[in-house]
Amino acid sequence: MNEKINQLLSQMAALEDELRTAVHQQESRVFFQIKGKRVEFEKSARDAHRKLKTGVLRWLVKDRPQNLLTGPLIYGMIFPLLMLDACVSFYQWVCFPVYGITRVRRGDYLVFDRRHLGYLNAIEKFHCSYCEYGNGLMAYMGEILARTEQYFCPIKHAHKILGTHARYHRFLEYGEAEAYEAKLEAFRVALGKEK
């Protein structure tokens, strides 16, 4: 890979980490503190949240009718999601040790913290939990697939594609055949050294 591109990618990763830390520090100072897996708000924020909470009956009356009509379809998707979760998790637990790939930690991707928001009623918290699970699962699965791609085929596409994973930019250029096997082995070794 071009050294300039490699340097820019490293700078981007460092800036993303710095931004994530700065945003987290600002959020923590202003509204809440994270203690283990628990999120604790200041008393004034908790009181304000309680005042803003809409009761379940009032919420049902005010909610858009199309949301209630499509609810069964949306929540019926839990079954394919659970099946996908089980299959992808089983795949990584069986195959990753064989390949020497560090396993993906579920807890880094499936985070359920919106239930601590006092301004949400029970239905809204349920909606949030469902979305946290679905989107967290897709990110978790995306990382498992990204590591699999890095192991078997760390090559960029000839065509520009949208939605690439974070590992993609470090992959080999399309058609970069020189020393392919050695570079592939270096990608594979790197997967076993991840935390």
Side-chain angles (χ1 to χ4, degrees), residues 83-94:
M83 185 65 151
L84 185 61
D85 189 358
C87 291
V88 170
S89 295
F90 179 73
Y91 158 72
Q92 111 157 312
W93 277 93
V94 171

Side-chain angles (χ1 to χ4, degrees), residues 20 45 47 54 58 69 76 82 87 90 140 142 177-178:
R20 196 174 5 259
D47 293 342
T54 303
R58 187 168 163 221
L69 291 172
L82 290 169
C87 291
F90 179 73
Y140 168 69
E178 189 175 323

Side-chain angles (χ1 to χ4, degrees), residues 21-32:
T21 301
V23 167
H24 178 69
Q25 286 173 344
Q26 178 184 350
E27 289 171 343
S28 297
R29 257 185 287 140
V30 176
F31 299 104
F32 59 86

Side-chain angles (χ1 to χ4, degrees), residues 44-146:
S44 60
R46 284 194 313 267
D47 293 342
H49 286 180
R50 275 192 215 105
K51 289 177 184 174
L52 294 170
K53 185 176 183 175
T54 303
V56 172
L57 290 176
R58 187 168 163 221
W59 183 87
L60 283 170
V61 171
K62 286 178 53 181
D63 195 33
R64 296 176 173 185
Q66 64 266 35
N67 294 0
L68 296 173
L69 291 172
T70 59
L73 177 63
I74 292 167
Y75 291 109
M77 294 302 296
I78 192 66
F79 300 109
L81 289 173
L82 290 169
M83 185 65 151
L84 185 61
D85 189 358
C87 291
V88 170
S89 295
F90 179 73
Y91 158 72
Q92 111 157 312
W93 277 93
V94 171
C95 296
F96 276 21
V98 173
Y99 304 144
I101 300 173
T102 303
R103 288 188 187 120
V104 178
R105 288 175 20 98
R106 283 177 71 83
D108 291 344
Y109 296 90
L110 280 87
V111 176
F112 299 92
D113 58 4
R114 293 178 185 153
R115 69 180 181 270
H116 301 294
L117 297 171
Y119 56 88
L120 299 178
N121 65 39
I123 294 173
E124 292 168 321
K125 288 180 182 183
F126 179 76
H127 289 329
C128 284
S129 294
Y130 182 81
C131 291
E132 287 171 322
Y133 177 69
N135 285 296
L137 176 62
M138 292 300 109
Y140 168 69
M141 186 177 76
E143 180 59 19
I144 290 171
L145 294 173

